[in-house]
Amino acid sequence: MHALQFVAKRLLLMIPILIGISMLTFAISNTIPGDPARLILGPKATPEGLEALREDMGLNDPLYVQYGRYMGGIVQGDLGESTYSQRPVLNDLLRYSPATFELTMFAMIVTLLVGIPFGVISASRKDKLADQFTRVFALLGVAMPAFWLGLLLLLFFYLKLGVLPGSGRLDGGMAPPDYITGMYTVDALLTGNWPVFYAAVMHLILPGITLAAVTIGMITRMTRSSMLSVLKSDYIRTAYAKGAPENRVLYGHALRNGVMPVITLLGMAFGHALGGSVLVESVFSWPGLGQYAVNAITYLDFPAVMGVTLLIAVAFILVNLIVDTLYFFIDPRLKHN
């Protein structure tokens, strides 16, 4: 199987998955108790006014008619209009998604820089103090609620020590960089705005670590498990017997052959981080999709809820497509399936 055929097959599989997600989300959204028309008009709205607004919004139509109308709009690039912001949902997603993706990518970088080395150290020092420490660290990361960890980090590093900023994406009064991607660190780098770049990175540290805690634990445990299996191989013992340096054996031989399960898990870790950003953004007042989704749910803004869900689903599927493609090139056995 050629790489293009492999990618095309995965892209075709996205279509029924996205349709299924849209149907499920649409059904759940419309079973939530509440009346969007009443939230828009307020408690003093008249029955006539409510009924007219429901008719205008199409809320009186059967669910299958509403869903068909919604899917017809999606095909034309129209995700509907947010009843909360009174703007097209697509515009809102383009406005808020860069902040969330910047935070998620930062969390994934932290995950890779910490999780993989910790997993290698844990496996190479099996049952020793370093192994025990990294295993406890990974367990705490997986088990600790994100909102609680975020509050602890804010209390210690922001309120007590004052070494890191507490909320937002930039310091108060600092203008964002010229808009290119919407991600402040990337835009500041592209425009050479170093003060903004530094401020943006500093604001990413606390929410990024909070978001990365769970994924670090996941990657550490998977890397350890995979490495323990590889380190028992004959070629690893042969490399040690020939006097190869430990770092070369661990990172040049063992990790290269044990990294495939870790790569597979990275797709899941990205999806977990992207979905977990809702709580983290609320704790750190991060103006991204998380806060937008919370407001949408609070105000029964069904088009916005559907838009956020579909965007996260598409991002998750695309990341897994990238992971599968990498796996395709790393593992030659897949080329013959």
Side-chain angles (χ1 to χ4, degrees):
M1 183 186 295
H2 297 293
L4 290 178
Q5 292 176 320
F6 182 84
V7 173
K9 182 179 178 181
R10 291 295 189 273
L11 288 174
L12 288 175
L13 288 174
M14 287 178 58
I15 298 174
I17 292 173
L18 290 175
I19 292 175
I21 291 173
S22 67
M23 292 177 66
L24 183 61
T25 308
F26 192 86
I28 293 175
S29 299
N30 283 273
T31 56
I32 297 175
D35 185 358
R38 185 170 292 279
L39 283 173
I40 294 173
L41 296 180
K44 297 183 179 180
T46 63
E48 294 78 10
L50 288 171
E51 186 61 28
L53 183 57
R54 291 192 193 102
E55 188 67 29
D56 184 61
M57 295 173 65
L59 298 176
N60 292 331
D61 296 332
L63 281 182
Y64 68 88
V65 175
Q66 297 183 44
Y67 178 74
R69 183 166 55 240
Y70 179 76
M71 291 302 294
I74 289 180
V75 172
Q76 301 175 21
D78 181 12
L79 298 178
E81 184 176 292
S82 168
T83 56
Y84 172 71
S85 67
Q86 301 297 312
R87 293 188 298 264
V89 172
L90 182 59
N91 291 356
D92 283 344
L93 295 180
L94 293 175
R95 176 181 179 183
Y96 292 107
S97 60
T100 296
F101 283 112
E102 181 178 38
L103 178 59
T104 303
M105 293 305 300
F106 183 85
M108 294 308 300
I109 292 173
V110 173
T111 296
L112 291 174
L113 293 178
V114 177
I116 291 180
F118 270 29
V120 174
I121 292 171
S122 181
S124 62
R125 302 290 186 270
K126 186 175 182 294
D127 296 330
K128 296 181 180 179
L129 182 61
D131 182 29
Q132 300 296 337
F133 171 79
T134 53
R135 289 169 68 182
V136 170
F137 180 83
L139 182 62
L140 287 176
V142 173
M144 192 175 300
F147 70 90
W148 188 71
L149 176 60
L151 292 174
L152 284 182
L153 293 178
L154 279 173
L155 177 64
F156 188 71
F157 290 101
Y158 173 62
L159 293 177
K160 295 293 184 182
L161 299 180
V163 295
L164 290 172
S167 61
R169 300 179 68 187
L170 290 174
D171 299 332
M174 178 174 284
D178 295 337
Y179 188 95
I180 300 175
T181 66
M183 294 183 283
Y184 287 177
T185 52
V186 176
D187 292 351
L189 274 177
L190 294 177
T191 57
N193 195 335
W194 302 113
V196 170
F197 175 77
Y198 175 78
V201 171
M202 295 299 288
H203 279 77
L204 278 167
I205 292 176
L206 290 184
I209 291 175
T210 303
L211 189 58
V214 174
T215 55
I216 288 174
M218 295 166 58
I219 296 299
T220 298
R221 296 172 69 182
M222 177 58 73
T223 304
R224 179 184 185 274
S225 176
S226 181
M227 287 287 293
L228 285 175
S229 177
V230 173
L231 288 174
K232 297 176 183 178
S233 303
D234 291 338
Y235 69 91
I236 297 295
R237 288 193 289 265
T238 301
Y240 276 122
K242 289 182 176 180
E246 184 180 27
N247 283 341
R248 181 183 298 175
V249 175
L250 291 176
Y251 291 96
H253 298 291
L255 183 59
R256 180 183 298 177
N257 289 278
V259 76
M260 286 190 287
V262 179
I263 292 176
T264 303
L265 185 62
L266 281 174
M268 297 176 59
F270 179 87
H272 191 285
L274 192 59
S277 64
V278 174
L279 282 176
V280 175
E281 289 181 8
S282 298
V283 172
F284 290 94
S285 299
W286 193 263
L289 287 176
Q291 287 199 354
Y292 181 68
V294 169
N295 289 331
I297 295 171
T298 302
Y299 291 93
L300 299 180
D301 190 347
F302 296 146
V305 172
M306 291 288 297
V308 171
T309 304
L310 289 177
L311 178 61
I312 292 177
V314 169
F316 182 72
I317 292 172
L318 288 177
V319 168
N320 277 276
L321 173 63
I322 295 172
V323 169
D324 288 344
T325 305
L326 290 174
Y327 211 97
F328 179 85
F329 286 106
I330 293 173
D331 189 349
R333 293 172 299 179
L334 293 177
K335 298 179 182 180
H336 305 289
N337 294 335

